[in-house]
Amino acid sequence: MILPVHALVRRRLQQTLAETFGLQEADQPAIAIEMPPRRALGDLAVPVAFELARRLRKAPRAIAQELTTALGTIPGVARIEAAPNGYLNFFLDRRSFMLDRLRGAAPAAAPPLAGKVIVEHTAINPNKAAHIGHLRNSALGDTLVRLLRYQGRPVEVQNYIDDTGVQVADVVLGFTQLEGRDLAGVQALANDPAVRFDYYCWDLYAKVTEWYEGDATRLQARAHAMHAIEEGGNALAGMGAFVADRIVRCHLRTMARLNVDYDLLTWEGDILRLRFWAKAFEELKALGAVFLQTEGKLAGCWVMKIEEPAGAADAVPAEGETARDAEPAEAEREKVIVRSNGTVTYVGKDIANQLWKFGLLGRDFFYRVFDDRGGRPLWATTSTPPAGGAAPPPFGKAAAVYNVIDSRQAYLQQLLKQSLGTMGFPGQAERSTHFAYEMVALSHATARELGYADTESSGKPFVEVSGRKGLGVKADDLLDRLIATATAEVMQRQPELPAADARVTAEAIAVAAVRYFLVKFSRGKVIAFDIQEALSFEGETGPYVQYAVVRANNIFGKLRERDGLDGTGVIAALASLPPTALTEGDEADELWGLVLEASRLDELADSAIRALEISQLAKFAFTLAQAFNTFYHRQPIMREERADVRLWRAGAVEYCRQQLTTALGLMGCSVPTRM
RNA sequence: GCGCCCGUAGCUCAGUUGGAUAGAGCGUUGGCCUCCGAAGCCAAAGGUCGCAGGUUCGAAUCCUGCCGGGCGCACCA
């Protein structure tokens, strides 16, 4: 926990700049606090003197030197040095820093921002099994949720279920048109223990796509089915509801395997049935934000004008092209909100949903318990008042909203934000964040392994996953393979371990492998998923981090066995020990470096949230595990004979394992007892 | 055509609101298990940070223009 130290140092610098240089806080540059490249230079570095050099007409070094003396003493800071190049370097009081952290006595970080945060993630169309692309969404979203909660913010996790969209309609048509099933037939299929219903729908969905391609008039059947499902109260709608319910339950089981869960399932059908959209539509019409288009190809549709980014609207035509040649639609783009057949597009429904999330709609859902989850009810929205039962917690009315959706939908998210602003809620628009990330594609090797020949001839660097074509790695298949591989590894290393325990361990390893893999890349990068790469448990992987903690835990197992010492025993013993092993010599510097690095979890968590870069958390955990492994090899604990040295090292191991366990937990990963 | 994203070592990627000598993993080569677990550690080799300008005391990072790649610009979501 280093942020409280940052806050203290920053505050003292601001005071000193005001007192010594007469710079009021408003005129001061932002004070960045960095880590020096080498520990010998200091523990914290502040480059503020460079910033001030011009304004004060002095050399950075002179400013740094003045600051050094003017700052005086700061609690917890042993000394301050002005580096020859102008850096201001802070050396912390190692003993008190480490003891405070071990005791958990470090002052709390800045109080978290007030108000509930809603994070919406996963949102898989409920018409087929989850695949690797969906997993990236869930892993990023769930980790964001855990990070926000770690910061002390109240978070509500929502999973949006698009049960009235075209994709459910497609599968319903597959059942009725291709297979001639009625509702009872689909129910029988779903209840057949030999059938994996989500896998079955996966294949059926791909067949429906081919069926459409066979005859363009079949698209009319699709439009009809969609309309029927939206209307409700008919056979197609009944089947759609059944399919969506069953597939959602499949998705929840898959996600539970990865330690991902939710507070509320928001069903799109309820938004329609409760006329959320009708309410939002009235307001949008009254504001003139949407209007009925009477001419052109969009005649008969209710449309919304799209705000062009600044400068784009009045762009001059390219040379050789006159303004007359340009499409009129280019100048004033319109997005269809209500189709000419009267159905509402996704954007329309989601505008209503966004308003509800912020408590701006003036209407609420009814709620039902969707799943018991062993005493932790999972709630879902519903359209009718429930007969009785427990009262739901207060949902919605958030201060801020994160929508975790891949960047291909950036355009729609932009519209959503825009409409919030248009409707008179610029503050909420500002606090509505699209957490955008790039898609997961497949490497050519993995596509080939899945039976897709000759994907290289496309000339593209990767193969795009396509649910429509049934092309992709199913989440459960991937997990099964990872568990099988991990089980083999565990049994090889721990032959005496009972099979059931080996399985539990393998599951923990598999989850860490896949979750770490999905968050280690920065979000702007397309992941070309390669199954062989993902099956690795070595190098920069989740299992590497787990392994470091297992080793640390083993040390304490042995300490307890031999010396009767546990974590708290070590901490108690350290209080009366001279700190030489922490303060003098190369080994002490290395020990201290490990403790300081471990303390940065809160700093990295904060940074990861601000930048929406979960990869920073992953990188932190890996780097710390690496530092621990180096320390582990160089500075033994059990066989160290000097008692004080042994205990200080044990203290470092204790803090390290705590921080690494927390970091893994933030990524939804656990630590096996052995592996 | 317009918008967004990406371009850093053979491959896959980090690089913290511009800061000290550009770092990992994989792969390659060579070492380390009578010693807290080798899913590990140590070492070596490997980079005109796509190109060209500009801003700055300082640029992989910011700006402009190119080049290459991806994704969007549906009465799908």
Side-chain angles (χ1 to χ4, degrees), chain A residues 102-125:
Chain A
L102 277 171
R103 292 181 187 131
L113 295 160
K116 178 165 80 180
V117 185
I118 286 178
V119 177
E120 178 188 293
H121 67 76
T122 303
I124 310 170
N125 273 301

Side-chain angles (χ1 to χ4, degrees), chain A residues 160-287:
Chain A
Y160 186 82
I161 313 293
D162 183 4
D163 56 334
T164 55
V166 68
Q167 294 210 23
V168 170
D170 286 340
V171 169
V172 167
L173 277 184
F175 282 127
T176 56
Q177 303 290 309
L178 269 59
E179 301 195 334
R181 287 179 199 268
D182 58 6
L183 178 59
V186 178
Q187 284 171 335
L189 186 72
N191 290 330
D192 183 345
V195 174
R196 296 177 83 162
F197 189 60
D198 54 345
Y199 280 36
Y200 190 93
C201 290
W202 173 285
D203 294 332
L204 183 57
Y205 183 42
K207 285 179 197 151
V208 172
T209 305
E210 285 177 27
W211 183 67
Y212 288 141
E213 284 164 0
D215 181 354
T217 61
R218 288 167 182 161
L219 289 172
Q220 289 167 9
R222 175 198 241 181
H224 171 258
M226 231 171 80
H227 207 111
I229 288 172
E230 210 167 280
E231 282 286 302
N234 55 67
L236 290 176
M239 187 183 291
F242 176 77
V243 169
D245 179 89
R246 283 307 180 95
I247 296 288
V248 165
R249 289 180 196 278
C250 292
H251 291 163
L252 291 175
R253 269 195 296 278
T254 303
M255 292 305 164
R257 296 178 79 187
L258 289 156
N259 303 325
V260 175
D261 77 273
Y262 314 90
D263 299 314
L264 179 67
L265 308 181
T266 326
W267 292 72
E268 191 172 88
D270 293 321
I271 290 176
L272 292 171
R273 285 187 289 273
L274 291 168
R275 305 186 56 76
F276 276 22
W277 163 244
K279 180 94 188 288
F281 192 30
E282 289 311 315
E283 294 203 25
L284 285 165
K285 276 194 282 194
L287 287 163

Side-chain angles (χ1 to χ4, degrees), chain A residues 450-517:
Chain A
L450 290 167
Y452 297 90
D454 192 31
T455 55
E456 279 91 342
S457 63
S458 69
K460 297 209 172 182
F462 43 74
V463 185
E464 192 170 349
V465 169
S466 169
R468 229 181 288 277
K469 293 180 191 155
L471 172 54
V473 178
K474 296 190 198 72
D476 282 315
D477 285 348
L478 173 63
L479 267 170
D480 291 342
R481 281 190 67 172
L482 281 164
I483 291 169
T485 309
T487 303
E489 295 280 332
V490 172
M491 295 204 311
Q492 186 191 327
R493 287 158 222 260
Q494 314 277 345
E496 76 290 358
L497 207 62
D501 294 351
R503 168 82 187 186
V504 169
T505 298
E507 283 170 358
I509 292 170
V511 169
V514 68
R515 286 197 60 148
Y516 189 95
F517 184 84

Side-chain angles (χ1 to χ4, degrees), chain A residues 1-2 22 136 160 182 202 220 228 261 316 351 375 423 442 519 535 574 591 626 631 649:
Chain A
M1 307 306 108
I2 190 96
R136 187 178 195 182
Y160 186 82
D182 58 6
W202 173 285
Q220 289 167 9
D261 77 273
V316 292
I351 286 172
M423 294 178 78
L442 304 177
V519 300
L535 281 172
L574 285 177
L591 201 167
Q626 223 176 12
F631 177 78
R649 285 178 185 172

Side-chain angles (χ1 to χ4, degrees), chain A residues 132 135 440-443 446 449 473 477-479 481-483 485-486 509-518 520-521 527-538 540-543:
Chain A
I132 180 72
L135 249 36
V440 182
L442 304 177
S443 72
T446 295
E449 201 183 316
V473 178
D477 285 348
L478 173 63
L479 267 170
R481 281 190 67 172
L482 281 164
I483 291 169
T485 309
I509 292 170
V511 169
V514 68
R515 286 197 60 148
Y516 189 95
F517 184 84
L518 289 169
K520 73 189 248 192
F521 303 98
I527 298 181
F529 182 79
D530 188 86
I531 187 92
Q532 291 311 324
E533 194 185 343
L535 281 172
S536 167
F537 303 144
E538 291 169 14
E540 196 197 332
T541 65

